[in-house]
């Protein structure tokens, strides 16, 4: 049972376009929602994260939108660049759980064409 | 990758043989984790450690055991490898283990069980 569901599985965007990846969660105890970026042959690396006390967080071209009532959150990449081509994972965890034990979504392979 | 070394990077083995993967960190972080990455499943937690000789199970721990005799080393053992354990294995570390803490990942071990 996947507690964090991610879509789409793959996404192709033209350079300069907006990339949008969506995630939905089931466990209402989750209260921390990070996004990780992974390049081929590398491990995932933290990109941006949000707590449920805010509805949006922006860092440069990357924005997380959070909808607590719908139990959904999404990653928006503005002005997408070929260098953004990677696999993106949403994740969730509970601050009450000991250890930084993240539950990950299935991943989205993003390709940005030049 | 944040002072994390996984070895080997690639391994091919036969069904029924024991396999040990090693994760070595130079960051002196207390928490260490083993995840497996599979298409359509994202990353799933196998086991984690919150100190020397202190370990606990994750969501997909069946068929795996771990050991941590030193702060810097976390070993993952497949006692009798099966084809379903063909995967990419990632080690991760974190400093305090709080739920909203950034995880640092190694570069992974590609394991093929024939």
């Amino acid at each position: 049972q996947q507690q964090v569901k991610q879509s789409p599985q793959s996404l192709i965007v033209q350079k300069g376009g907006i990339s949008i990846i969506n995630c939905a969660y089931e466990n209402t105890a989750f209260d921390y929602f990070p996004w990780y970026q992974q390049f081929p042959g590398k491990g995932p690396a933290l990109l941006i994260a949000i707590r449920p006390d805010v509805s949006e967080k922006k860092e440069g071209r990357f924005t997380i939108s959070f909808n607590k009532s719908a139990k959904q959150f999404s990653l928006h990449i503005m002005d997408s660049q070929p260098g953004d081509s990677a696999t993106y994972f949403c994740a969730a965890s509970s601050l009450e759980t000991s250890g930084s034990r993240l539950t990950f979504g299935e991943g989205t392979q993003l390709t940005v064409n030049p | 990758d944040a002072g994390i070394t996984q070895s080997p990077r690639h391994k091919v083995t036969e069904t029924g043989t024991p396999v040990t993967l090693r994760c070595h960190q130079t960051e002196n972080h207390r928490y260490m984790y083993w995840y497996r990455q599979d298409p359509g499943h994202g990353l799933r937690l196998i086991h984690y450690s919150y100190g020397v000789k202190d370990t606990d199970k994750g969501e997909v721990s069946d068929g795996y055991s771990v050991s941590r005799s030193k702060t810097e080393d976390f070993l993952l053992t497949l006692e009798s490898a099966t084809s379903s354990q063909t995967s990419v294995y990632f080690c991760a570390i974190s400093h305090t283990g709080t739920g909203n803490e950034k995880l640092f990942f190694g570069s992974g071990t590609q394991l093929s069980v024939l």
Side-chain angles (χ1 to χ4, degrees):
Chain A
Q1 181 182 2
Q2 195 80 21
Q3 290 197 54
V4 177
K5 296 188 183 297
Q6 183 173 344
S7 63
Q9 185 176 359
S10 62
L11 180 62
I12 300 175
V13 174
Q14 292 299 118
K15 178 183 177 181
I18 302 174
S19 303
I20 302 174
I21 304 171
N22 301 298
C23 283
Y25 63 97
E26 300 173 2
N27 188 345
T28 55
F30 288 150
D31 52 10
Y32 173 67
F33 304 91
W35 285 87
Y36 279 75
Q37 180 188 53
Q38 183 183 32
F39 293 105
K42 300 292 187 181
L46 179 66
L47 182 64
I48 186 173
I50 196 168
R51 294 285 315 277
D53 51 345
V54 296
S55 61
E56 185 175 285
K57 183 174 182 180
K58 183 177 181 179
E59 291 184 0
R61 296 184 293 108
F62 301 90
T63 300
I64 300 179
S65 297
F66 185 82
N67 185 329
K68 187 174 181 178
S69 61
K71 293 188 288 185
Q72 295 176 347
F73 58 109
S74 60
L75 176 69
H76 295 237
I77 306 175
M78 310 299 289
D79 187 26
S80 299
Q81 299 297 312
D84 297 330
S85 296
T87 300
Y88 292 82
F89 294 96
C90 62
S93 68
S94 169
L95 294 184
E96 294 184 353
T97 303
S98 64
S100 306
R101 287 178 281 166
L102 294 173
T103 298
F104 285 88
E106 299 93 329
T108 296
Q109 187 169 349
L110 172 66
T111 301
V112 181
N113 289 326
Chain B
D1 290 308
I4 305 169
T5 303
Q6 291 188 233
S7 58
R9 290 297 311 276
H10 303 273
K11 186 171 182 65
V12 180
T13 191
E14 294 184 349
T15 299
T17 60
V19 176
T20 296
L21 309 183
R22 180 180 184 238
C23 178
H24 178 79
Q25 58 138 335
T26 58
E27 306 297 320
N28 200 35
H29 281 7
R30 179 182 173 190
Y31 287 79
M32 299 185 75
Y33 312 80
W34 278 107
Y35 282 87
R36 61 177 289 175
Q37 181 177 355
D38 304 286
H41 293 278
L43 293 103
R44 292 178 291 174
L45 182 64
I46 304 171
H47 282 279
Y48 71 101
S49 170
Y50 47 97
V52 173
K53 291 185 169 49
D54 292 323
T55 65
D56 205 350
K57 296 179 180 180
E59 62 179 299
V60 290
S61 60
D62 287 348
Y64 301 95
S65 62
V66 290
S67 65
R68 192 168 177 199
S69 59
K70 298 184 292 184
T71 298
E72 59 266 36
D73 290 326
F74 193 31
L75 304 180
L76 177 70
T77 297
L78 291 65
E79 301 290 346
S80 178
T82 67
S83 59
S84 65
Q85 294 176 312
T86 292
S87 185
V88 181
Y89 291 86
F90 286 98
C91 172
I93 64 174
S94 68
H95 185 47
T96 65
T98 56
N100 62 345
E101 190 182 14
K102 177 179 180 179
L103 289 185
F104 296 92
F105 284 84
S107 295
T109 294
Q110 173 71 62
L111 176 67
S112 297
V113 183
L114 305 180

